[in-house]
Amino acid sequence: MNKFTIQQLQQMRESEDRVEFKAGEGGNISYDGRGKTNPKDRRRCILGYVIALCNEGGGRLVIGMHDNYPHRVTGTRQAHNAIGQLESDIYRDTTIRPEIYELYDEENRRVLVIEVPSRPIGKVFKFEDVPLMRVGEELKPMSDAMYLKILQESEPDFSEKICEGLSLEDLDEEAIRVMKQGYAQRWNKPEFVSTPTLQVLHDFALMNKGGQLTNAALILLGKSEAIRKHLFCNRVTVEYRLYHSMIEYTARQEFQEPLVLMVDSVWNYINQPASNPLQHYNDGFRIGDIPTFNRDVVREAILNACCHRVMYIQSDVVIKQYPDQLIITNAGGFPVGVDVDNILTVNSMPRCKLITEVLQKAGFIEKSGQGVDKMFYHCLMDGKCLPDYSLTDEWQVCLRLPGEIKYPAFMLYARELQNARPANNKLNVFDLLALFRASQGDSQRYTDEVTLRKLIDEGLLISAQDGYKLSDRYYEIVKKTTVNVTGQKDDTINVQLLDINKLTERQTVIYNSIKEGVQLNVQLNTTDLSNKLSIGFKTMQRELKVIENLGLIVRVGSKKTGHWEVINKG
């Protein structure tokens, strides 16, 4: 055991280092809170702190040092000559096995250190039947969100479980054919399409040796009536609304089919000409077009939602479609270890691992964990805002997929770069993300030194006074690029009207939105712009300040409620 010294303990911070300092009354604290009538007071004992620290992932309880930094020694006689007994008592009462040792300072004052191990995966410890967590100086009942997240850590693969009563007659023959065909194409084995269905079900672990079918077989291949009978919540609902403030939907469709067929059914519904129109952009004299919603992005989002959802929460996968955005939600929050900041880099942990493995074998997904990469990649290549998971909480994952072309110059620049590179040396999603951030003046967010060095060595990133900028070729494209999402001439989106050397592309989009609002007699404040352009409020404040300092816009009214207008320079 790596024992800490008193000097090391004195430099620790309680929250950051998961340590709790207690001077105690007369150097000691209660073992189990016995004799105190208030539950809040009873928790503030050795057992209470050991349980809370264990629930937090482990830490240490230090008795005989003041909790004020730098934690002066007060001394204690807690468990003096009885350390072994204290270890035994804690294990007896909690099943937590601590390691306890004592330290002495130069004045021979004694400090007792109780090293608390981390809880096992999926295990929550309780004091008087209440799971505890530390909140500041208090020990409080664990929040429902944290409790659920811990329980989900050890959640067994739902898709591997046997679906009682499911028979071969309940499986959809067309779904089986599509799965076989997908595998044959993925692995270049055309003969696989004639493989007997029973053998395929066994090979894919969809059926056990006793002939029982799993939940994965139901979800991937089950007929609609079988799904409704055995797993009614396994459904995708699409609602279309003309604008974001609408409460009632304009159109609605429910899908309860085998997943290998449903992903295309949902996409075909979303991909109707009226609800997924083409957006047009100008590249010099050439006019190009891009669909508002990309097929690969939408398919990946649907498959992710179905593979990562929590099945025991009775909730559909819900897709809300607007003319400019898709919002996709599924129950359960992020899997363990995944959050908004690491979603592109952390290894995927699908809740339905068997389903994911079968989808990979059948060619529906390339590799577990690459779906988010693909979504980000296509959004960057299409000049759209990045996929947004910021509304995700402990209970559901919420993904917002943008539809509008916001960054036409970057789109053309990225495509030009990719077209000039050989197939085995294309820029990956992290390369493109670094270039995009530089185009938006966010070069301070670089964390990947390997990517940064690669782009600098290739001349795609150039050192600048406040970070990095793109090569001159990007700014040449910016000067000649216009975008028109309606197919008609619109001078408000013509970036030639601005001094492009002073504005990033995102700042140009913000400026044009303000200018368009003025022409339509619509007053836009900072919050309006943040919501309209799907840009974080603080980021929007920073960008508006830059544009304001350049003398291009002015705030009319108070700082809190005032709106923005463009300054007419003549």
Side-chain angles (χ1 to χ4, degrees), residues 84-99:
Q85 185 61 48
L86 180 58
E87 288 180 343
S88 178
D89 290 344
I90 293 174
Y91 180 72
R92 178 198 65 209
D93 295 331
T94 66
T95 71
I96 298 170
R97 192 183 298 277
E99 294 185 79

Side-chain angles (χ1 to χ4, degrees), residues 428 430-432 434 448-456 461:
N428 62 36
F430 300 103
D431 299 330
L432 291 172
D448 184 350
E449 291 297 327
V450 175
T451 298
L452 183 59
R453 177 50 52 192
K454 168 188 173 181
L455 297 175
I456 292 174
L461 281 182

Side-chain angles (χ1 to χ4, degrees), residues 300-480:
E300 289 293 338
I302 295 169
L303 291 172
N304 274 356
C306 292
C307 292
H308 291 287
R309 62 170 297 185
V310 174
M311 287 295 181
Y312 62 78
I313 296 179
Q314 301 296 304
S315 175
D316 297 359
V317 172
V318 177
I319 302 176
K320 294 182 179 180
Q321 183 177 4
Y322 302 92
D324 63 339
Q325 190 178 73
L326 286 178
I327 301 177
I328 303 173
T329 58
N330 65 269
F334 283 133
V336 176
V338 180
D339 57 39
V340 172
D341 296 323
N342 68 12
I343 194 166
L344 266 176
T345 56
V346 72
N347 290 329
S348 176
M349 298 177 63
R351 290 191 173 96
C352 293
K353 186 177 179 181
L354 178 55
I355 289 179
T356 304
E357 290 174 350
V358 174
L359 290 173
Q360 181 181 345
K361 291 176 181 177
F364 284 82
I365 58 178
E366 293 183 13
K367 185 179 179 182
S368 179
Q370 289 186 343
V372 176
D373 296 24
K374 181 179 286 189
M375 288 190 290
F376 272 74
Y377 180 87
H378 284 294
C379 286
L380 288 165
M381 291 297 293
D382 287 349
K384 298 175 182 177
C385 293
L386 298 176
D388 181 6
Y389 287 93
S390 61
L391 295 182
T392 294
D393 56 28
E394 301 291 346
W395 307 104
Q396 68 174 11
V397 172
C398 179
L399 167 62
R400 292 185 291 179
L401 290 175
E404 293 185 67
I405 301 174
K406 293 292 186 182
Y407 309 104
F410 184 82
M411 171 189 68
L412 295 173
Y413 177 66
R415 293 184 176 202
E416 182 178 286
L417 289 177
Q418 295 290 57
N419 290 337
R421 302 172 77 92
N424 62 352
N425 191 31
K426 300 292 186 183
L427 297 173
N428 62 36
V429 65
F430 300 103
D431 299 330
L432 291 172
L433 189 57
L435 294 175
F436 175 73
R437 287 171 175 167
S439 75
Q440 304 307 307
D442 288 343
S443 58
Q444 72 272 15
R445 294 180 63 188
Y446 290 119
T447 55
D448 184 350
E449 291 297 327
V450 175
T451 298
L452 183 59
R453 177 50 52 192
K454 168 188 173 181
L455 297 175
I456 292 174
D457 290 344
E458 292 191 17
L460 300 178
L461 281 182
I462 301 171
S463 295
Q465 184 175 1
D466 56 348
Y468 298 91
K469 66 176 185 177
L470 301 186
S471 64
D472 292 340
R473 177 57 184 154
Y474 168 72
Y475 300 101
E476 292 173 4
I477 293 175
V478 168
K479 289 179 181 179
K480 70 174 185 177

Side-chain angles (χ1 to χ4, degrees), residues 146-312:
M146 183 175 177
Y147 190 58
L148 176 63
K149 190 167 187 177
I150 292 174
L151 293 180
Q152 288 176 0
E153 291 176 355
S154 62
E155 180 184 337
D157 184 355
F158 175 85
S159 62
E160 287 185 344
K161 292 182 177 180
I162 297 301
C163 182
E164 299 292 343
L166 186 68
S167 67
L168 288 173
E169 290 73 25
D170 292 321
L171 303 186
D172 189 292
E173 292 184 4
E174 176 62 13
I176 295 171
R177 186 193 68 79
V178 169
M179 184 179 71
K180 289 181 180 180
Q181 188 176 50
Y183 183 91
Q185 292 175 347
R186 172 71 182 271
W187 305 104
N188 194 26
K189 294 183 177 181
E191 69 278 5
F192 187 81
V193 295
S194 60
T195 303
T197 296
L198 281 177
Q199 181 179 334
V200 173
L201 294 175
H202 282 292
D203 290 347
F204 285 2
L206 298 176
M207 175 182 282
N208 66 13
K209 293 180 180 180
Q212 294 175 299
L213 294 166
T214 63
N215 285 327
L218 172 68
I219 294 169
L220 290 167
L221 306 173
K223 295 177 181 178
S224 297
E225 52 268 29
I227 295 173
R228 285 193 292 271
K229 176 182 177 181
H230 295 282
L231 193 62
F232 188 79
C233 67
N234 184 46
R235 181 171 56 191
V236 174
T237 299
V238 183
E239 298 178 350
Y240 182 82
R241 290 174 173 81
L242 292 172
Y243 45 89
H244 289 265
S245 59
M246 285 184 66
I247 297 176
E248 296 295 330
Y249 49 80
T250 305
R252 186 175 190 270
Q253 184 71 41
E254 295 180 357
F255 298 87
Q256 202 161 35
E257 309 172 25
L259 181 57
V260 297
L261 302 180
M262 182 173 63
V263 65
D264 282 328
S265 296
V266 175
W267 164 246
N268 291 335
Y269 184 79
I270 291 172
N271 189 37
Q272 299 179 67
S275 55
N276 190 23
L278 294 176
Q279 301 180 70
H280 306 288
Y281 62 90
N282 297 333
D283 179 13
F285 295 104
R286 186 179 73 87
I287 297 178
D289 53 58
I290 289 177
T292 299
F293 302 112
N294 180 286
R295 176 181 180 273
D296 288 341
V297 172
V298 174
R299 282 172 56 89
E300 289 293 338
I302 295 169
L303 291 172
N304 274 356
C306 292
C307 292
H308 291 287
R309 62 170 297 185
V310 174
M311 287 295 181
Y312 62 78

Side-chain angles (χ1 to χ4, degrees), residues 83-128:
I83 288 178
Q85 185 61 48
L86 180 58
E87 288 180 343
S88 178
D89 290 344
I90 293 174
Y91 180 72
R92 178 198 65 209
D93 295 331
T94 66
T95 71
I96 298 170
R97 192 183 298 277
E99 294 185 79
I100 305 176
Y101 57 91
E102 54 190 8
L103 303 170
Y104 291 88
D105 70 357
E106 62 277 2
E107 298 181 20
N108 205 37
R109 288 177 295 190
R110 179 175 174 269
V111 173
L112 188 71
V113 182
I114 303 176
E115 294 280 354
V116 182
S118 175
R119 57 177 174 76
I121 292 177
K123 171 72 173 177
V124 177
F125 287 92
K126 300 178 180 180
F127 176 77
E128 296 182 341

